[in-house]
Amino acid sequence: MRLSRMGQSFPSRLSFLPTLLRRLHQESAQVHRDVWNMNSDGHGHAIYSISLGGYTYSLVAITNELDDQNRTDRVIAEAWDSSFVLYDGVPDASEIQRLIRNVPKQEASRFSERELILSRANKSVRLFDHVVNRLKKNCQPDVARVCETGYLMRTTAVYGNGKFGIADRVRIFDRPCLSGPFMPEMLTIWLIRGFSHDLVEYLGKSLINRDLKRHLGIGNATGLGMAPFLVGHPALLDAWVKAREIALARVRSIIRIGQKEKKKLRQLANRVSHHLYEWNVHDADAQAIIHDLQIEWREFEKFLSDDTLNGPRPINALWAVAQKKSTTLQELTAAFLIEPFGRLVDDLSSQMATSETWYFDPSMSTQKFREILLRDWQWALELDFRNPEREKRFWYISEAKLEPRLGLRFKEIGAEVEIPLDNARRVKSMAFDFFDYSGDLLTFLQQYPHHRSAVRRVQTLMRYHYAEIRDNLIDGSCRPIDMLRFKLSFFGATKFDPKSDLWTRITLAQGAPLFDELYSEPDWWLPALKSF
């Protein structure tokens, strides 16, 4: 649970979007385009519906004209090419008009419990226009340009869980297919991606080749808003990581594999190789890591020989090879080894949603509490906060957009409204007073009431292995983008394209089944256009 490893994460078959699409396949789900009210410029609204587990959900998509100068990925934007809402049910005429009035205003508007997810997106203008213009000439888009960008639209927010007055999670948490973490968000993203395909084909008056269309995912620009979630939901964080660790342990325990599994591993390895060569970013440091990974993967592929795969515990042998390589190669290998063995690991996806229950026991003996501190928090106790670099930053919520931000403690105002992401510092401060105290825990808390939250976190997390990011999140060297990549990998994101240490672009649903391709089990982990 170090950021240096978390920041090298890759999606796996336990990621939320692949899990959702397997469930849609199992449900034989069908998407219907019920409304298409677009003018010749592609402005208007469309409605798609899908039935899952006895419920029907509708994506309402609204597009409008947007000047190029107003198109931005920043959360401070107030206008977008397209706005979306995932609606609980099928909206009637009056509801459609209400949504058309309100959805484009996004958080500046009012919503009801029928709205499950709120989102907005901008065109990836160069590729969007290129695809439309090529289709108008009855030609297919340029393959290299499709690979370079990978999506027609890029979302800048996908809001759920009651934000801005939309439905609370409790409304749908136990519904079939949507009960897992972020399932409504993943459904919305997949439906938006299909809408973007329909829109360019409508404007271009022609159809995109299926292989190319499948490779057009949905983009996303993600900043600091995502990072505090991992700190504020430790039990959920533990459930996600534990599921992956159990999955890896299960496949490493396989004694022998058959010809089918050998073939699948080699096919996947080849796909990974092509995927890595299609993954290019502008950031020089990030591109260097990708380049090194390409070289390491070629070396790793050599071990997919009969000598290794015919031997005892072949998956564990491959894992042992990865341990001698970079952290990036190790994280990629973990996802790779899990992928072919759905029969062994897919059940774990049902264990990745959990409630947050905080534990607080002032009657705990001081001896037991001391043991927990030394066992679980030694990494924090070793930090020296007398060094200003160790507390150089502070996290706060912006007043304008209610989004998390990072400030510089000794240069900027605002530290007085700091939000508690400095768990290492808080626990270290509490431990400093606690180790010097001779009374019981209850009287300690009475004398030092400001340590109550730190004590509660220590006691709550003692039950979990993976609930805490074991790094100092206010350190001057902390890279929030590592938290973003970690969480996004659990969404199913690929093609991480960092724009700074604070935000990144990604691709979702690239290679995923199209609306009419759910008849077969999805197989699109780390897609590539190599065969086109």
Side-chain angles (χ1 to χ4, degrees), residues 231 385 393 395 409 418-427 472-474:
V231 180
F385 286 99
R393 296 180 171 186
W395 294 78
R409 188 179 306 278
E418 182 174 9
I419 58 175
L421 268 66
D422 56 333
N423 292 319
R425 184 176 64 166
R426 288 168 181 258
V427 170
N472 177 18
L473 303 187
I474 58 171

Side-chain angles (χ1 to χ4, degrees), residues 121-316:
N122 287 325
K123 299 172 184 174
S124 179
V125 177
R126 286 180 296 176
L127 184 60
F128 190 98
D129 290 347
H130 167 77
V131 174
V132 170
N133 291 331
R134 293 284 290 181
L135 292 178
K136 283 181 177 179
K137 297 175 182 177
N138 202 28
C139 299
Q140 289 300 307
D142 180 74
V143 174
R145 296 187 67 167
V146 170
C147 285
E148 180 184 5
T149 302
Y151 49 79
L152 298 166
M153 285 186 172
R154 183 170 57 248
T155 60
T156 60
V158 184
Y159 294 127
N161 302 321
K163 195 161 187 178
F164 305 122
I166 61 178
D168 287 327
R169 176 170 166 76
V170 68
R171 181 178 174 90
I172 49 90
F173 80 97
D174 59 349
R175 293 188 186 180
C177 291
L178 296 190
S179 59
F182 292 96
M183 288 296 113
E185 288 87 343
M186 298 301 102
L187 177 60
T188 303
I189 286 168
W190 183 65
L191 292 172
I192 291 174
R193 178 243 197 172
F195 164 74
S196 72
H197 296 165
D198 286 356
L199 186 59
V200 292
E201 291 183 335
Y202 168 76
L203 293 172
K205 299 180 173 60
S206 186
L207 300 179
I208 309 172
N209 173 279
R210 275 187 174 270
D211 289 330
L212 279 177
K213 186 192 293 191
R214 206 176 295 114
H215 209 65
L216 289 167
I218 189 78
N220 175 264
T222 295
L224 293 176
M226 185 173 283
F229 183 93
L230 299 174
V231 180
H233 298 81
L236 196 59
L237 176 60
D238 176 80
W240 296 359
V241 181
K242 183 165 62 177
R244 195 202 75 155
E245 293 299 299
I246 292 174
L248 184 58
R250 285 180 180 178
V251 299
R252 287 176 60 193
S253 299
I254 297 173
I255 303 299
R256 299 282 183 182
I257 60 174
Q259 291 300 320
K260 182 179 179 181
E261 286 84 2
K262 296 173 191 175
K263 180 179 179 182
K264 185 62 178 178
L265 283 168
R266 288 165 175 153
Q267 288 175 339
L268 283 175
N270 185 53
R271 187 196 299 174
V272 169
S273 182
H274 287 277
H275 177 91
L276 294 178
Y277 278 95
E278 290 179 8
W279 179 16
N280 294 285
V281 299
H282 292 291
D283 182 86
D285 291 339
Q287 187 60 47
I289 292 174
I290 297 170
H291 178 261
D292 291 344
L293 183 59
Q294 293 168 350
I295 297 172
E296 281 194 301
W297 188 257
R298 284 201 304 268
E299 292 298 313
F300 178 79
E301 279 189 282
K302 296 176 181 178
F303 290 91
L304 294 170
S305 62
D306 287 341
D307 288 344
T308 303
L309 298 185
N310 290 335
R313 298 182 67 188
I315 305 302
N316 192 57

Side-chain angles (χ1 to χ4, degrees), residues 296-443:
E296 281 194 301
W297 188 257
R298 284 201 304 268
E299 292 298 313
F300 178 79
E301 279 189 282
K302 296 176 181 178
F303 290 91
L304 294 170
S305 62
D306 287 341
D307 288 344
T308 303
L309 298 185
N310 290 335
R313 298 182 67 188
I315 305 302
N316 192 57
L318 291 171
W319 182 243
V321 172
Q323 299 317 291
K324 302 174 184 177
K325 306 294 183 180
S326 69
T327 301
T328 313
L329 191 279
Q330 292 170 24
E331 290 301 300
L332 174 57
T333 302
F336 166 71
L337 295 177
I338 292 169
E339 183 63 28
F341 300 100
R343 59 185 173 81
L344 290 179
V345 305
D346 285 351
D347 65 299
L348 294 168
S349 63
S350 64
Q351 303 174 26
M352 296 176 75
T354 185
S355 59
E356 294 288 346
T357 302
W358 292 88
Y359 178 73
F360 184 59
D361 180 14
S363 67
M364 178 180 286
S365 72
T366 55
Q367 178 61 30
K368 182 176 181 182
F369 189 71
R370 179 187 296 269
E371 291 172 357
I372 296 168
L373 271 175
L374 295 175
R375 183 193 70 190
D376 297 344
W377 293 87
Q378 189 63 43
W379 62 272
L381 302 182
E382 293 172 354
L383 295 172
D384 181 9
F385 286 99
R386 294 171 298 181
N387 182 348
E389 191 68 18
R390 300 291 82 79
E391 54 177 6
K392 184 176 181 179
R393 296 180 171 186
F394 66 93
W395 294 78
Y396 65 98
I397 301 295
S398 73
E399 197 172 78
K401 280 290 184 175
L402 300 179
E403 290 280 346
R405 293 287 182 268
L406 263 179
L408 295 174
R409 188 179 306 278
F410 306 113
K411 291 185 178 181
E412 301 173 358
I413 62 172
E416 67 277 3
V417 293
E418 182 174 9
I419 58 175
L421 268 66
D422 56 333
N423 292 319
R425 184 176 64 166
R426 288 168 181 258
V427 170
K428 174 73 179 281
S429 176
M430 178 270 294
F432 180 83
D433 290 333
F434 174 76
F435 289 145
D436 197 40
Y437 190 79
S438 58
D440 59 32
L441 188 58
L442 177 59
T443 54

Side-chain angles (χ1 to χ4, degrees), residues 2-172:
R2 295 285 189 176
L3 288 177
S4 58
R5 179 173 293 277
M6 296 168 71
Q8 303 302 320
S9 299
F10 285 85
S12 75
R13 70 177 296 116
L14 293 178
S15 296
F16 308 142
L17 187 53
T19 296
L20 171 72
L21 290 177
R22 286 197 302 274
R23 292 177 181 175
L24 298 188
H25 160 67
Q26 293 161 5
E27 286 260 328
S28 300
Q30 294 183 340
V31 178
H32 301 280
R33 194 173 79 183
D34 303 318
V35 175
W36 186 264
N37 188 355
M38 295 285 174
N39 64 20
S40 59
D41 294 322
H43 301 147
H45 69 276
I47 300 177
Y48 297 79
S49 63
I50 185 169
S51 294
L52 299 172
Y55 297 88
T56 299
Y57 306 97
S58 299
L59 178 79
V60 180
I62 302 164
T63 66
N64 49 264
E65 186 175 359
L66 181 67
D67 291 339
D68 288 346
Q69 62 187 20
N70 294 328
R71 188 176 293 108
T72 174
D73 285 343
R74 298 191 66 189
V75 73
I76 61 172
E78 296 182 353
W80 308 269
D81 285 310
S82 303
S83 302
F84 307 91
V85 68
L86 184 67
Y87 184 86
D88 190 4
V90 178
D92 59 21
S94 63
E95 281 286 83
I96 292 173
Q97 290 307 309
R98 177 180 68 85
L99 295 171
I100 289 174
R101 290 193 304 271
N102 286 278
V103 173
K105 299 175 185 177
Q106 294 285 289
E107 60 262 48
S109 194
R110 299 292 182 268
F111 298 97
S112 77
E113 63 178 5
R114 300 299 295 272
E115 285 84 73
L116 303 179
I117 301 294
L118 186 66
S119 184
R120 66 274 193 122
N122 287 325
K123 299 172 184 174
S124 179
V125 177
R126 286 180 296 176
L127 184 60
F128 190 98
D129 290 347
H130 167 77
V131 174
V132 170
N133 291 331
R134 293 284 290 181
L135 292 178
K136 283 181 177 179
K137 297 175 182 177
N138 202 28
C139 299
Q140 289 300 307
D142 180 74
V143 174
R145 296 187 67 167
V146 170
C147 285
E148 180 184 5
T149 302
Y151 49 79
L152 298 166
M153 285 186 172
R154 183 170 57 248
T155 60
T156 60
V158 184
Y159 294 127
N161 302 321
K163 195 161 187 178
F164 305 122
I166 61 178
D168 287 327
R169 176 170 166 76
V170 68
R171 181 178 174 90
I172 49 90

